[in-house]
Amino acid sequence: MLRRIYLLALAAVLALQPASAMHIMEGFLPLRWCLLWLLVSLPFVVLSYRYVARQIKATPRMRSTFALSAAFVFILSALKMPSVAGSSSHLTGTTFGTLAVGPMALPLVGTIVLLFQALLLAHGGISTLGANIFSLSIAGPFVAYALYRGLGRLGLGQRLTIFVATFCGSMATYIATSFQLALAYPDPVGGILGAAWKFLGIFAITQVPLSILEGVMTVLVIGLLAQSGQSLLLEQVPTQPKGTRVRRPQLILLGILGLVCLALPILTNFFDIGTGTDDQAGAMIGQIAPHFQEQPFWEGFDPGEGEAYLFALQVAIGIALFVWGLRKYLHSRKQEEG
């Protein structure tokens, strides 16, 4: 499976052109910072690949769990949602996989998703790929996992623990993005910290209600899977009794939730959801560094009004991958019970 994923990614690199970015836009970081974040993130991606390969080899069911984790990121990261003060931003979806496969699996998942968005959906930076991998699939997942383990030791309820971990993991992604931009563009008066506060005023404030929403959705999906007899949490052994049938009402609710997610990107074509945080960040860079000019190292295309339908395509692919992963997971469970 992993070989096929890499072959698809390689084919996309050779055949297509990317465009604007999702977290830090193409051309927003100087080349030296692009290279630095790539050097920081690349070892995590390599170790992530080895970790996932070992997990799949040791437990065949992990193949389908990995697919479910990637599908969840595919779906949620495609949802651009309105937030406070006329702004909008994306969900991340990384905590689900963090709890199901482990945080070391997410750098690989994040790389696949970010490459997919950059190369196929005109929504991701190639030069800023290392920086976006770090914020989306390293900072966020490891913060979420640390909180999940720490709060779990305090004896808090599982739902509350998952919610808090998801909320903080999502916030950590955009806090990391704020500091990445602040390091590249320190404020003339306040320095790095002063610039960080300005970027946090864009990313963190916008992300608070969206992180709450992501926490609710993650708890809901994990809960529905658990109620149907499929506990995907890494530290729990599935306890579905042998021979029991999967509860269909929960799977139907998951299907309805999937259809809602599919409709949301299309609805953005008909409703004004506010200015994206990436555009606001560009304006802030212009204020901090008046001589700043975007210098994209990878020229792409402008999807125009088709952007919403490209995100709907991403959600559709994520749903298909989720269904495939769940069917494979159920099949592997039946084989283990047999």
Side-chain angles (χ1 to χ4, degrees), residues 44-97:
F44 284 91
V45 178
V46 174
L47 292 174
S48 178
Y49 173 81
R50 294 179 177 178
Y51 171 82
V52 171
R54 287 197 306 269
Q55 291 292 319
I56 291 176
K57 185 177 180 180
T59 309
R61 188 173 65 242
M62 275 296 175
R63 183 188 300 271
S64 55
T65 307
F66 177 80
L68 289 170
S69 303
F72 201 73
V73 179
F74 259 87
I75 295 170
L76 263 65
S77 65
L79 303 182
K80 188 175 183 180
M81 307 293 292
S83 186
V84 296
S87 60
S88 61
S89 187
H90 291 262
L91 308 181
T92 67
T94 55
T95 302
F96 179 92

Side-chain angles (χ1 to χ4, degrees), residues 82-84 167 171 204-214:
S83 186
V84 296
F167 174 84
M171 291 297 299
I205 293 177
T206 299
Q207 204 62 24
V208 167
L210 302 189
S211 296
I212 293 173
L213 175 62
E214 182 170 339

Side-chain angles (χ1 to χ4, degrees), residues 1-270:
M1 175 183 174
L2 294 177
R3 289 181 181 178
R4 293 178 181 177
I5 291 173
Y6 276 103
L7 287 175
L8 288 173
L10 178 60
V13 170
L14 295 176
L16 298 173
Q17 291 184 349
S20 58
M22 174 180 175
H23 299 291
I24 298 181
M25 294 179 65
E26 180 73 35
F28 272 30
L29 285 181
L31 180 59
R32 64 181 184 275
W33 286 103
C34 295
L35 294 175
L36 174 63
W37 288 113
L38 183 62
L39 291 175
V40 170
S41 299
L42 188 59
F44 284 91
V45 178
V46 174
L47 292 174
S48 178
Y49 173 81
R50 294 179 177 178
Y51 171 82
V52 171
R54 287 197 306 269
Q55 291 292 319
I56 291 176
K57 185 177 180 180
T59 309
R61 188 173 65 242
M62 275 296 175
R63 183 188 300 271
S64 55
T65 307
F66 177 80
L68 289 170
S69 303
F72 201 73
V73 179
F74 259 87
I75 295 170
L76 263 65
S77 65
L79 303 182
K80 188 175 183 180
M81 307 293 292
S83 186
V84 296
S87 60
S88 61
S89 187
H90 291 262
L91 308 181
T92 67
T94 55
T95 302
F96 179 92
T98 298
L99 304 184
V101 190
M104 274 308 301
L106 268 296
L108 178 59
V109 172
T111 301
I112 294 170
V113 172
L114 289 169
L115 277 173
F116 180 90
Q117 291 175 340
L119 301 175
L120 301 180
L121 303 187
H123 221 79
I126 296 301
S127 66
T128 57
L129 182 64
N132 290 334
I133 288 174
F134 182 86
S135 60
L136 175 68
S137 54
I138 298 173
F142 278 91
V143 167
Y145 187 72
L147 282 171
Y148 178 76
R149 293 294 300 273
L151 294 175
R153 294 192 181 98
L154 297 178
L156 300 179
Q158 187 179 82
R159 292 180 179 178
L160 178 60
T161 300
I162 293 173
F163 173 82
V164 173
T166 304
F167 174 84
C168 294
S170 175
M171 291 297 299
T173 292
Y174 285 90
I175 290 173
T177 298
S178 300
F179 277 93
Q180 287 172 327
L181 291 171
L183 288 170
Y185 301 101
D187 186 78
V189 178
I192 294 174
L193 188 59
W197 278 113
K198 292 182 179 181
F199 287 115
L200 285 170
I202 296 173
F203 289 106
I205 293 177
T206 299
Q207 204 62 24
V208 167
L210 302 189
S211 296
I212 293 173
L213 175 62
E214 182 170 339
V216 171
M217 292 182 68
T218 303
V219 171
L220 177 62
V221 171
I222 291 177
L224 288 173
L225 289 171
Q227 291 174 22
S228 67
Q230 317 308 316
S231 179
L232 296 177
L233 296 183
L234 182 64
E235 299 177 359
Q236 291 187 358
V237 178
T239 57
Q240 184 181 14
K242 183 176 180 179
T244 57
R245 295 177 60 87
V246 176
R247 297 179 183 178
R248 296 190 181 279
Q250 284 75 19
L251 299 183
I252 292 174
L253 288 176
L254 283 173
I256 294 173
L257 183 60
L259 292 176
V260 171
C261 291
L262 184 61
L264 286 176
I266 299 176
L267 291 175
T268 60
N269 254 357
F270 305 97

